[in-house]
Amino acid sequence: MRSIDLNCDMGEGFGIYELGHDEQLLAEVTSANIACGFHAGDPSVMRRTVQSALRHGVAIGAHPGFADLAGFGRRQMQLSVQEVRDLITYQIGALQAFVHQEGGRLHHVKPHGALYNMAAVSLPLAEAIAGAIADLDSSLILYGLSGSQLIEAGRAAGLTVASEVFADRTYQADGTLTPRTHQNAMLHDASQAAEQIMNMLHTRTVRAIDGTVVPIEAATVCIHGDGARAVDFARELKKCLLAEGIALNTI
């Protein structure tokens, strides 16, 4: 039986502000990418999300992003290689501390937002991220966009990598995600999102918004936890996967 990992971004509330449906989503996914306090989250939210993930038996990953709470980490920032290494190290270390205190183990790292998308096409940035992870804990799995520079840099650094695809995003002809500023960047129908993922798994391709057929590898599927219909997307996708005999398992 083939299996796939289903991951979701979580812990993105801050102070009195709640975002997403973390508890419901944790019942559907196999991996959680927890914000580390820079683009979203705070120490208390981080701990609570770690505790919830452990209760549900979900693998815990660090979700480091740019220091940009106002922009939710979705605005590009130009940092030096050393600044990127320090940014990644700091955030992983913070989440790792909470995971350790709660008796768990950190499983993976998935960069967030603009940092993720920039590293998909910039080898120096990808190498800075992968190098920081490898130097900190080489057992951590690096989640990155399928076919991206981040995946290549992770392999070169000796890390286990997981090629990621997206249920709720559309693609460009070069295999990158359609920018959120584009009107067709997001998929809003759960059945359409599930169909896109099933097609990826069956054909190892995705159709870009211009009609181009793009080769793709899928080891883990992302659903954005801040999406209005994130829980519906997760349930529909899970139903389709299980109906096809594809199990949900952590990498």
Side-chain angles (χ1 to χ4, degrees):
M1 180 184 290
R2 186 178 177 184
S3 66
I4 192 81
D5 176 57
L6 185 58
N7 78 74
C8 189
D9 304 339
M10 296 187 180
E12 294 178 327
F14 182 82
I16 64 171
Y17 303 102
E18 295 185 8
L19 181 66
H21 308 278
D22 291 0
E23 202 64 34
Q24 290 172 278
L25 285 164
L26 283 167
E28 309 297 336
V29 301
T30 51
S31 298
N33 318 307
I34 300 178
C36 302
F38 274 38
H39 78 276
D42 64 27
S44 295
V45 170
M46 289 165 69
R47 184 183 295 280
R48 289 198 298 269
T49 311
V50 166
Q51 290 171 336
S52 295
L54 290 172
R55 281 199 305 272
H56 285 272
V58 170
I60 297 172
H63 199 34
F66 285 130
D68 180 23
L69 278 173
F72 198 63
R74 289 176 177 162
R75 299 183 293 193
Q76 291 192 4
M77 299 179 70
Q78 304 303 320
L79 304 180
S80 69
V81 167
Q82 189 59 53
E83 286 173 324
V84 170
R85 287 179 61 91
D86 293 344
L87 185 83
I88 294 295
T89 301
Y90 187 98
Q91 292 179 73
I92 295 173
L95 187 68
Q96 208 167 31
F98 287 115
V99 175
H100 178 74
Q101 283 188 341
E102 296 299 327
R105 183 182 70 84
L106 193 64
H107 172 262
H108 67 275
V109 177
K110 175 189 167 181
H112 166 81
L115 181 62
Y116 179 98
N117 291 324
M118 291 171 70
V121 296
S122 169
L123 185 58
L125 181 57
E127 289 174 338
I129 294 170
I133 297 168
D135 289 347
L136 179 63
D137 184 349
S138 60
S139 72
L140 294 172
I141 300 169
L142 175 59
Y143 284 26
L145 184 68
S146 177
S148 69
Q149 297 285 0
L150 190 56
I151 291 294
E152 293 305 313
R155 289 194 179 112
L159 297 171
T160 299
V161 296
S163 292
E164 183 177 40
V165 297
F166 289 78
D168 50 9
R169 296 291 300 275
T170 62
Y171 284 78
Q172 298 287 287
D174 63 357
T176 60
L177 300 177
T178 305
R180 285 177 177 268
T181 52
H182 194 287
Q183 63 178 355
N184 294 323
M186 305 296 296
L187 295 178
H188 301 286
D189 181 83
S191 59
Q192 186 181 5
E195 182 181 355
Q196 173 167 279
I197 293 300
M198 298 311 298
N199 184 66
M200 288 178 179
L201 297 178
H202 288 310
T203 70
R204 294 191 173 186
T205 64
V206 64
R207 188 171 295 277
I209 59 173
D210 69 352
T212 302
V213 177
V214 183
I216 206 161
E217 292 293 330
T220 183
V221 178
C222 175
I223 294 174
H224 288 96
D226 62 320
R229 299 194 60 204
V231 177
D232 291 338
F233 274 44
R235 289 173 177 165
E236 179 68 19
L237 179 54
K238 186 175 182 179
K239 181 181 74 174
C240 291
L241 290 167
L242 294 176
E244 291 281 333
I246 302 172
L248 297 183
N249 284 314
T250 303
I251 296 168

